[in-house]
Amino acid sequence: MVDLNSLLYPRSIAVVGASTQPDKVGGMPIRLLRELGYEGRLYPVNPSAGEVQGLRAYGSLSDIGEPVDLAIVAVPASASQDVMAQLAGNGTRAAVVFTSGFAEAGEAGVRMQDRLARSAQEAGVTLLGPNCLGAMNLRERMFATFSPIPLSGVPPVGEVGLVSQSGAFGAYAYALAREAGLGLSHWVTTGNEAGLQVADVIAWLANDPNTRVILAYIEGCRDGMRLRQALDAARAAGKPVVITKVGTTAAGARSAQSHTASLTGEDAVYQAVFDAYGVHRAHTLEAFFRLGYVLSRGRRPALWHCPDGLDASAVTPLAVVTVSGGVGIMMADRAEELGLPLPPMPEAEAEALRAAIPFASTANPIDVTGQVVAQPRVFMDAIAGVARSGAYGSVAAFLAGGANAPRLWPELQQTVATLSEDPKAAPLLLAGIVDDDKRAWLEARGCLVFREPAHAVEAAATLARAAAMEGARGAGTPQLPTSVMHADLSRDLPPGATALSEYEAMRLLADAEVPVALHGLAQDADEAVRTAERLGYPVAVKLCSREILHKSDVGGVALNLADAQAVRDAFARMEGAVARTRAENGAPVPFEGVLVARMVRGWGEVMVGVRRDPVFGLVALVGIGGTAVEIFRQTARGLAPLSRERARAMLRESRVAALCEGHRGNPGVDLDAAAQVLASVSELAANLGRRLDTLEINPFIVTAQGLVAADAVVTLRPDGISAP
Amino acid sequence: MVDLNSLLYPRSIAVVGASTQPDKVGGMPIRLLRELGYEGRLYPVNPSAGEVQGLRAYGSLSDIGEPVDLAIVAVPASASQDVMAQLAGNGTRAAVVFTSGFAEAGEAGVRMQDRLARSAQEAGVTLLGPNCLGAMNLRERMFATFSPIPLSGVPPVGEVGLVSQSGAFGAYAYALAREAGLGLSHWVTTGNEAGLQVADVIAWLANDPNTRVILAYIEGCRDGMRLRQALDAARAAGKPVVITKVGTTAAGARSAQSHTASLTGEDAVYQAVFDAYGVHRAHTLEAFFRLGYVLSRGRRPALWHCPDGLDASAVTPLAVVTVSGGVGIMMADRAEELGLPLPPMPEAEAEALRAAIPFASTANPIDVTGQVVAQPRVFMDAIAGVARSGAYGSVAAFLAGGANAPRLWPELQQTVATLSEDPKAAPLLLAGIVDDDKRAWLEARGCLVFREPAHAVEAAATLARAAAMEGARGAGTPQLPTSVMHADLSRDLPPGATALSEYEAMRLLADAEVPVALHGLAQDADEAVRTAERLGYPVAVKLCSREILHKSDVGGVALNLADAQAVRDAFARMEGAVARTRAENGAPVPFEGVLVARMVRGWGEVMVGVRRDPVFGLVALVGIGGTAVEIFRQTARGLAPLSRERARAMLRESRVAALCEGHRGNPGVDLDAAAQVLASVSELAANLGRRLDTLEINPFIVTAQGLVAADAVVTLRPDGISAP
């Protein structure tokens, strides 16, 4: 982990390129640090001014007489290399480089940026930027930015650490946080990321005692493993991470790529990474902040037992209490969409409510009706009753304008005060119109307030996920490629090969305890027939050759062969086809025999693949095979190796679970066993090490005995290539 | 259409059950009408008080001496019948009944409500309620409600008419409208809907000159045709309708049903109705109001040519202009999700921008970069350039905090002022932080302002749809069952039958020019063989009997028969099966022969069905057949008869279009022809008249020649039943 203490808790700051004009890029940080109360030592560096904004100016860094923790660099790009040399000589620990005109400005800029990064690294200077808007530590009133935005107000000091690749996004996020009163700990923009990446900041915030929730904005990530390690660290620390990652669609990805000039990777793979580490993803700014609010201020529901592959929100029951039947239904709709269970009110509480309001609905949504106006205490008793019943993870209550009503407010205060002191009471999420002072009073007691009723329900799902993640503290995280694998099979792979033959692939699967079609290798026609008769007809005969990947193009696949003659004919055709084929270098292709496999009968096809993503490493994919996958495009991805929980979740997401669950009178397939098959395939791929390029099984046949692999393709990368 | 003038523009109002206490249900309307400036005549009716809140009280309605336009009724449920008799006697034109304890309170209440409704109808009194929160006309300062909410403030008078089935939702909506400054014309809550339904209010607002946009909240609709007619009227008037309909999920629907105690119908069918009439659907309160804001305040984009079945937003290009690359990408992502095209900047405008800011991106999103701070005029020129270029329907611009910046604001004002006077300029949608006074200035010039950048993009899609709808003015609306059909085939249907035989169903399809498998009817085995030989093998043989609907249960379906012997065997088996079967009344089942049909070869299966929805009438459904429909549940619905445009859209929504479009090397099927087949099936169903219950074709086989029906089932309802 990169240490950001010198950057974010500096005891001394030098501003290189300090301007006497407080509104210039080199002047603003001095103005901000002085006006807003930074208490460390501040050294303007300016060779041609004796004084800068009332402070003594230094001609160079070395004139300062002490190594500074942080240098803020506001000099032209052409001068940056010199400045970096000075920083190195002076023992400076961290540098923020505002300057633009680097990688974002074409080829020459890329080279200049590479040099800057190299010298920073050699000198041990932690580098933020270039082309960034800087950083802030709100608690220390440390404003290393040239944005004037803090002049118009500072958000409250809080526990949300915010890191953004984009300066403009960061500035807007700052303004929105201020407006929403969302308390921030740190604010960091990484710009061109020649040194620090968003991932480094996340990893550091994961260990910062003043940060409890991390909000990150990324456009693209060049070092996937760094991001994975950072998310792993946050998860191990029990700190929720919210990420907005743009470029979700083809149009967005195109502009993201041209904007950041970096390989941004496939959005679906990012999603797999986020799923693996329990990241809360936000697709809008509004959701980004709302998640920050919910996660930093919201009490956690109790943990419910969560079977394999289910999201915590799918097992954490919610009580919806409402003064309006209609709004209660809207909330129930949202709860069902999110998978939150809505069990009815327990009998004792239901009876109490019905005794007070006979027409109240004690199903869930619990509708106290318009009677709340006449009987506010009944409403509050219903809320307190369900919150304490132990039957619910959270309580979402719609109050309309009730909280501001003079008769209801004192009752609400009393209820919230009592519940907030009861650690066993379910957290309370309110929706309605609430005056600012009342809202602050409620929030101080862990009671979140929303204008939109659906948001109270979404908060319940978010808090259930956060509680599960914090409770698990890193359990079930997929292994990083840096960790020890169960086995490394790469040394057993044929040195120069770009693929395995299907027979070799089938053997590997069988060794990994993945069910495969009964099969054997045959070198001549007689052996092929003997093998077929041992396995039982009908059989498939497939050409085996590492050089011929697309077997069917040369007639190398014969299915449903019913007798010996058919097997002989197929063998002869394939032998002939190989004899007519030449390798790329013109050499004859060796004939390695044929794979004879018993045909597998079932009622559906599943495809499973593992491929190497250039950013994040091995990614497993599952989907319903045949034409469905192309038409519905409903596949699920996960980082390999998969945990069985994740494999199970992927079966559900891809609808393979629906195909397996006793579909159309077919017997149900054991989903745990199917998840284990998927996990085993992903583990095999991981064990194949750096050589593996892709492993694809298409189809797995769905049979009464479970998934059986009927085909396997393994492609390899050359020796000596490094991961991911 | 029900006339609501007496209800919403009353010249005189009587309050029956008027209370001397202004905060009681019978006192509040008097207080509101007096304090808030209602200018008509107001008569408190109270037999035991001489004066009510400073007004002379009348002992009874007849003491008033004139028939009043509107009576507000605040008496106990038990007295309501008497009051209705008085209203009738007095010539009262409309009544608002606040009283609860009717249908929502059990069986006795249902009967009481029925009586109330009947007497109102007989007396010609327009009845709102009972169990409702009343109505308001903001322009006339007419507050016929017992909710105290107007006392704390009234929304501005505007052009949005709001109608809500739920009083609590209506009150909350009122408070949110007031807070958002959304201008309202009328506010109506319909409660138990013994008289007026939400549909009646929509229909009336469609003709109200003071209303331009209609916002409606419904929980369930008992009279689907009334709602369809109302939506049709709004569409014909070119007034957009926004609907929030709760109960979208199973859990929500269950609570909606128990809450309203009415048959609410399937949510997917509501969606089909909304699609048919171009309704903007909102799933959250936030979206409900935002749509109201966008539609009432937003300028419309020019109309782009829209091919069959495409949504207008899919052809109306959007320019995204941004000061932040990242936020621009977020906006592009949202645009792509919504289908909005994002063509690059035209060359002339692009050149101008690059000349000013060399690193600006002139693709779309158009990124003027942080240079906007130094060169605000360039940003404004870029916006004005694209808005005037004719290449875009709308321009969505992200300004971050720029609008409030002293250097940018005058430039923005000048640009917006000029564009607002140019009717050919594309409307401008801004995202950013904007002070209230500046926001009001912008909105007054048709320039909408959003905090969330994604919302500016969504507004562009909404306005494109609104422009298309307003431009079309009712064209393409599906016919209501009340209108004349092309044909009425119901009289030709067998009188007592509950189903047609498959042969009969196939004949009907063929007559309607729907392609069907080649087929013939055979009464004996020889004829079956002759038919098979005439059609060509392989054939299917299927039992024909109106009494046996589930043919396969009795072995009545034989597929892929390859020769005469197989046909003979199948015939004998089916004849035997019929001989062993008894009808429900124990009588022998007549053997009507077998259908012999040539097997249709293709590469996919499509299912098409039309069924009678109890609320809305005939609904057509299309989906990919086989197991896919059960696993992916991706079907599309539309009201029958379908226009070819709607049929085309349904092919896309259900992914059938993907199956038809040259999938996996198969030749592409003409999608227009496929849409025509779907439209013809739906028209046939409509032409079958009241007798039709369901018509299902499963499968249609996808072949190189298009869709061919391989199976057809028609079930009938008894004679003499009325629609829907």
Side-chain angles (χ1 to χ4, degrees):
Chain A
M1 192 192 71
V2 186
D3 182 0
L4 303 194
N5 274 309
S6 306
L7 172 66
L8 288 169
Y9 289 92
R11 288 153 305 174
S12 54
I13 302 177
V15 179
V16 184
S19 171
T20 55
Q21 295 178 52
D23 292 346
K24 294 275 175 190
V25 171
M28 185 57 74
I30 296 172
R31 179 173 177 194
L32 293 173
L33 290 163
R34 297 198 66 199
E35 287 189 10
L36 298 177
Y38 170 66
E39 293 182 346
R41 297 182 294 284
L42 181 57
Y43 304 109
V45 176
N46 181 329
S48 56
E51 198 184 281
V52 168
Q53 299 185 47
L55 292 174
R56 178 191 155 188
Y58 296 80
S60 73
L61 272 170
S62 52
D63 292 346
I64 294 174
E66 68 156 345
V68 294
D69 281 348
L70 173 64
I72 296 174
V73 180
V75 299
S78 54
S80 61
Q81 195 60 32
D82 278 354
V83 170
M84 192 49 76
Q86 285 184 45
L87 297 183
N90 186 253
T92 308
R93 291 180 189 85
V96 174
V97 181
F98 294 153
T99 321
S100 59
F102 285 92
E104 83 284 7
E107 265 313 304
V110 170
R111 282 193 301 274
M112 205 155 56
Q113 180 169 319
D114 286 348
R115 278 200 303 277
L116 185 74
R118 219 167 25 242
S119 17
Q121 199 174 17
E122 282 162 12
V125 175
T126 303
L127 171 64
L128 184 67
N131 190 28
C132 78
L133 211 53
M136 312 180 198
N137 176 336
L138 282 296
R139 189 176 301 268
E140 303 286 322
R141 307 194 73 75
M142 198 289 296
F143 298 91
T145 179
F146 67 93
S147 167
I149 202 166
L151 291 176
S152 46
V154 175
V157 173
E159 300 183 310
V160 176
L162 196 155
V163 52
S164 168
Q165 199 174 345
S166 151
F169 184 97
Y172 196 56
Y174 175 97
L176 291 177
R178 184 174 61 192
E179 195 180 59
L182 185 72
L184 297 184
S185 56
H186 304 280
W187 176 94
V188 182
T189 65
T190 56
N192 285 11
E193 303 200 333
L196 291 174
Q197 300 185 0
V198 165
D200 301 311
V201 183
I202 292 174
W204 184 83
L205 290 171
N207 288 291
D208 174 49
N210 293 318
T211 299
R212 211 177 128 215
V213 175
I214 300 165
L215 262 59
Y217 165 86
I218 56 177
E219 283 161 14
C221 166
R222 282 167 304 172
D223 187 343
M225 291 306 147
R226 237 204 268 198
L227 182 60
R228 288 180 59 178
Q229 274 155 344
L231 297 177
D232 203 28
R235 184 168 162 140
K239 294 187 185 177
V241 178
V242 177
I243 295 187
T244 286
K245 186 253 155 194
V246 295
T248 53
T249 63
R254 263 196 314 281
S255 29
Q257 191 137 354
S258 79
H259 178 59
T260 61
S262 65
L263 184 64
T264 52
E266 238 182 294
D267 191 75
V269 176
Y270 279 89
Q271 190 58 57
V273 173
F274 298 158
D275 288 342
Y277 296 97
V279 169
H280 301 262
R281 186 167 189 180
H283 289 283
T284 62
L285 268 161
E286 191 275 324
F288 187 69
F289 279 97
R290 184 150 44 81
L291 284 166
Y293 167 71
V294 169
L295 290 165
S296 66
R297 311 292 290 267
R299 288 177 54 208
R300 285 1 181 203
L303 289 180
W304 252 255
H305 171 69
C306 192
D308 269 13
L310 272 184
D311 191 275
S313 59
V315 293
T316 310
L318 171 71
V320 171
V321 191
T322 178
V323 301
S324 152
V327 174
I329 299 163
M330 284 179 94
M331 293 169 82
D333 282 337
R334 190 74 190 111
E336 176 140 329
E337 281 166 15
L338 295 169
L340 287 160
L342 292 168
M345 213 171 176
E347 201 35 54
E349 285 76 16
E351 222 166 86
L353 175 56
R354 276 193 303 260
I357 305 178
F359 297 123
S361 166
T362 57
N364 189 357
I366 297 156
D367 181 2
V368 298
T369 78
Q371 276 304 315
V372 65
V373 179
Q375 297 169 269
R377 189 67 247 159
V378 174
F379 183 33
M380 288 304 133
D381 286 345
I383 288 177
V386 293
R388 284 212 173 107
S389 68
Y392 301 101
S394 296
V395 180
F398 176 65
L399 278 72
N404 291 338
R407 283 189 60 191
L408 199 139
W409 173 242
E411 303 276 2
L412 179 62
Q413 273 188 301
Q414 193 195 318
T415 304
V416 169
T418 316
L419 289 177
S420 72
E421 281 163 17
D422 179 352
K424 287 193 168 165
L428 191 54
L429 309 160
L430 298 183
I433 297 180
V434 182
D435 290 341
D436 285 347
D437 55 335
K438 296 191 171 72
R439 183 188 161 108
W441 189 94
L442 293 165
E443 287 173 351
R445 280 149 193 86
C447 173
L448 303 184
V449 182
F450 303 88
R451 183 61 43 98
E452 167 62 51
H455 291 170
V457 175
E458 290 167 22
T462 299
L463 291 172
R465 289 184 63 203
M469 193 270 276
E470 291 157 14
R473 287 276 172 130
T477 311
Q479 294 174 318
L480 293 172
T482 47
S483 56
V484 180
M485 290 293 164
H486 306 282
D488 182 358
L489 305 176
S490 63
R491 59 176 174 270
D492 303 331
L493 296 172
T498 58
L500 297 183
S501 77
E502 185 167 348
Y503 179 70
E504 291 168 322
M506 288 293 240
R507 293 310 319 153
L508 280 173
L509 287 172
D511 288 347
E513 300 189 352
V514 174
V516 296
L518 294 173
H519 66 278
L521 185 67
Q523 310 283 357
D524 59 44
D526 287 343
E527 192 181 3
V529 170
R530 276 197 310 276
T531 308
E533 289 181 345
R534 179 165 53 81
L535 302 174
Y537 292 104
V539 296
V541 170
K542 302 190 213 174
L543 176 60
C544 271
S545 168
R546 286 184 198 148
E547 308 276 333
I548 302 175
L549 202 60
H550 300 289
K551 299 186 282 279
S552 34
D553 292 357
V554 298
V557 178
L559 301 177
N560 282 314
L561 306 182
D563 53 33
Q565 192 54 49
V567 171
R568 267 180 214 290
D569 290 351
F571 190 94
R573 274 201 312 279
M574 290 177 198
E575 202 172 24
V578 171
R580 285 190 303 276
T581 306
R582 285 287 172 274
E584 267 185 29
N585 58 10
V589 164
F591 178 60
E592 298 160 26
V594 297
L595 177 82
V596 181
R598 173 120 183 222
M599 290 300 295
V600 182
R601 299 282 166 221
W603 58 85
E605 297 187 0
V606 173
M607 55 166 288
V608 172
V610 181
R611 68 171 185 74
R612 188 174 295 281
D613 180 80
V615 179
F616 291 104
L618 293 181
V619 178
L621 178 141
V622 64
I624 293 183
T627 58
V629 66
E630 292 156 39
I631 289 174
F632 293 102
R633 296 185 200 131
Q634 194 156 358
T635 52
R637 286 170 180 77
L639 298 180
L642 299 166
S643 66
R644 211 173 66 180
E645 292 74 38
R646 182 64 198 138
R648 180 88 190 232
M650 286 167 65
L651 294 179
R652 191 172 295 110
E653 286 166 25
S654 62
R655 312 281 314 146
V656 169
L659 183 66
C660 290
E661 275 168 353
H663 180 65
R664 280 207 173 179
N666 292 309
V669 168
D670 179 349
L671 276 182
D672 279 329
Q676 183 55 56
V677 167
L678 184 53
S680 298
V681 170
S682 74
E683 195 169 341
L684 168 62
N687 288 346
L688 286 172
R690 317 192 143 184
R691 291 291 307 283
L692 184 81
D693 188 30
T694 64
L695 186 167
E696 188 172 331
I697 302 165
N698 188 6
F700 263 113
I701 308 284
V702 184
T703 76
Q705 286 73 46
L707 301 182
V708 179
D711 186 274
V713 175
V714 172
T715 63
L716 302 173
R717 304 196 296 176
D719 265 335
I721 216 167
S722 68
Chain B
M1 193 192 71
V2 186
D3 183 0
L4 304 195
N5 275 309
S6 305
L7 172 66
L8 287 169
Y9 290 91
R11 290 152 304 174
S12 54
I13 301 178
V15 180
V16 184
S19 172
T20 55
Q21 296 177 50
D23 292 348
K24 293 274 176 191
V25 171
M28 185 57 74
I30 297 173
R31 180 174 176 192
L32 293 173
L33 291 163
R34 297 197 66 199
E35 287 188 11
L36 299 177
Y38 170 67
E39 293 182 346
R41 297 181 296 285
L42 180 57
Y43 305 108
V45 176
N46 181 329
S48 55
E51 197 185 282
V52 167
Q53 299 183 46
L55 293 174
R56 177 193 156 187
Y58 297 80
S60 72
L61 272 170
S62 52
D63 291 347
I64 295 174
E66 68 157 345
V68 293
D69 282 348
L70 173 63
I72 296 174
V73 180
V75 300
S78 54
S80 61
Q81 195 60 33
D82 277 355
V83 169
M84 191 50 75
Q86 286 183 45
L87 297 182
N90 187 253
T92 308
R93 291 180 190 86
V96 174
V97 180
F98 295 154
T99 322
S100 59
F102 285 92
E104 83 283 6
E107 265 313 304
V110 170
R111 284 193 300 274
M112 205 154 57
Q113 180 170 317
D114 286 348
R115 278 199 302 277
L116 186 74
R118 218 165 28 241
S119 17
Q121 199 174 18
E122 282 161 12
V125 175
T126 303
L127 170 64
L128 184 67
N131 189 28
C132 79
L133 210 54
M136 312 180 199
N137 176 336
L138 283 296
R139 190 175 301 268
E140 303 286 323
R141 308 193 72 74
M142 197 291 294
F143 298 88
T145 179
F146 66 94
S147 168
I149 201 165
L151 290 176
S152 47
V154 175
V157 172
E159 299 183 310
V160 176
L162 197 154
V163 52
S164 168
Q165 199 174 344
S166 151
F169 183 98
Y172 196 57
Y174 175 97
L176 291 177
R178 182 174 64 193
E179 194 180 60
L182 184 74
L184 296 185
S185 56
H186 303 280
W187 175 95
V188 182
T189 65
T190 56
N192 285 11
E193 302 199 332
L196 291 173
Q197 299 185 0
V198 165
D200 301 311
V201 183
I202 293 174
W204 184 83
L205 290 171
N207 287 291
D208 174 48
N210 292 318
T211 299
R212 210 177 130 215
V213 175
I214 300 165
L215 262 57
Y217 165 88
I218 56 176
E219 284 162 11
C221 166
R222 281 165 305 171
D223 186 342
M225 291 306 147
R226 236 205 269 199
L227 182 59
R228 289 180 59 177
Q229 274 156 343
L231 297 176
D232 203 28
R235 183 169 163 139
K239 294 188 185 178
V241 178
V242 177
I243 295 187
T244 286
K245 185 255 158 196
V246 295
T248 53
T249 62
R254 263 195 314 280
S255 29
Q257 191 137 353
S258 78
H259 178 59
T260 62
S262 66
L263 184 63
T264 53
E266 239 182 292
D267 191 75
V269 176
Y270 279 89
Q271 190 58 56
V273 172
F274 298 159
D275 289 341
Y277 296 96
V279 169
H280 301 262
R281 186 167 189 181
H283 288 282
T284 61
L285 267 161
E286 191 275 324
F288 187 69
F289 279 97
R290 184 150 44 82
L291 285 166
Y293 167 71
V294 169
L295 291 164
S296 65
R297 310 291 291 268
R299 289 176 52 208
R300 286 359 182 205
L303 288 180
W304 254 254
H305 171 70
C306 193
D308 268 14
L310 272 184
D311 190 276
S313 59
V315 294
T316 310
L318 172 72
V320 171
V321 190
T322 178
V323 301
S324 152
V327 174
I329 300 163
M330 284 179 92
M331 293 169 81
D333 282 336
R334 190 74 191 110
E336 176 140 329
E337 281 166 14
L338 295 170
L340 287 160
L342 292 168
M345 214 170 174
E347 201 35 53
E349 285 77 14
E351 222 166 88
L353 175 56
R354 276 194 302 261
I357 304 178
F359 297 123
S361 166
T362 57
N364 191 357
I366 297 157
D367 182 3
V368 298
T369 77
Q371 276 303 316
V372 65
V373 180
Q375 298 169 270
R377 189 68 247 158
V378 174
F379 183 35
M380 289 304 134
D381 286 346
I383 288 177
V386 293
R388 283 210 175 108
S389 66
Y392 302 101
S394 296
V395 179
F398 176 65
L399 277 73
N404 292 338
R407 285 190 58 192
L408 200 140
W409 173 242
E411 303 276 2
L412 179 62
Q413 273 188 302
Q414 193 195 319
T415 304
V416 169
T418 316
L419 290 177
S420 72
E421 281 162 18
D422 179 352
K424 285 193 168 164
L428 191 54
L429 309 160
L430 298 183
I433 297 180
V434 182
D435 290 342
D436 285 348
D437 56 334
K438 297 191 170 69
R439 183 189 162 107
W441 189 93
L442 293 165
E443 288 172 350
R445 281 149 192 87
C447 174
L448 302 184
V449 182
F450 303 88
R451 182 63 41 101
E452 166 63 49
H455 292 169
V457 175
E458 290 168 23
T462 299
L463 291 171
R465 290 183 63 202
M469 193 270 277
E470 290 156 15
R473 287 277 172 129
T477 310
Q479 294 174 318
L480 292 172
T482 46
S483 57
V484 180
M485 290 295 163
H486 306 283
D488 182 358
L489 305 175
S490 62
R491 60 176 175 272
D492 303 330
L493 296 172
T498 57
L500 296 183
S501 78
E502 185 166 348
Y503 179 71
E504 291 167 322
M506 288 293 241
R507 292 313 317 155
L508 279 174
L509 287 172
D511 288 347
E513 299 189 353
V514 174
V516 296
L518 294 174
H519 65 277
L521 185 67
Q523 311 282 356
D524 58 46
D526 286 343
E527 192 181 3
V529 170
R530 277 197 309 277
T531 308
E533 288 180 347
R534 177 166 54 80
L535 302 175
Y537 291 103
V539 295
V541 169
K542 303 190 213 175
L543 177 58
C544 272
S545 169
R546 286 183 199 148
E547 307 275 333
I548 301 175
L549 202 58
H550 299 289
K551 297 186 281 278
S552 33
D553 292 356
V554 298
V557 179
L559 302 177
N560 282 312
L561 305 182
D563 55 32
Q565 192 55 48
V567 171
R568 265 181 216 290
D569 291 350
F571 189 95
R573 272 201 312 279
M574 290 177 197
E575 201 173 27
V578 171
R580 285 190 303 275
T581 306
R582 286 286 173 276
E584 266 184 31
N585 59 9
V589 164
F591 178 61
E592 299 160 26
V594 299
L595 177 81
V596 181
R598 172 118 183 224
M599 290 300 296
V600 183
R601 299 280 165 222
W603 58 84
E605 297 187 0
V606 173
M607 56 166 287
V608 172
V610 180
R611 67 171 185 75
R612 188 174 297 279
D613 179 81
V615 178
F616 291 104
L618 292 182
V619 178
L621 177 140
V622 64
I624 293 183
T627 60
V629 66
E630 292 156 39
I631 288 174
F632 294 102
R633 297 187 198 128
Q634 193 156 359
T635 52
R637 285 171 179 77
L639 297 180
L642 298 166
S643 66
R644 212 174 63 179
E645 294 73 38
R646 182 64 200 139
R648 180 90 189 229
M650 286 168 65
L651 294 178
R652 191 172 295 109
E653 287 165 26
S654 61
R655 311 282 313 145
V656 169
L659 183 66
C660 290
E661 276 169 351
H663 179 66
R664 284 209 170 176
N666 292 309
V669 168
D670 180 348
L671 276 183
D672 279 330
Q676 184 55 56
V677 167
L678 184 53
S680 298
V681 170
S682 74
E683 196 169 342
L684 168 62
N687 288 347
L688 287 172
R690 319 194 140 182
R691 291 292 306 285
L692 184 80
D693 188 28
T694 65
L695 186 167
E696 188 173 332
I697 301 165
N698 188 7
F700 263 114
I701 307 285
V702 184
T703 76
Q705 286 74 46
L707 301 182
V708 179
D711 186 274
V713 175
V714 172
T715 62
L716 301 173
R717 304 197 295 175
D719 265 336
I721 217 166
S722 69

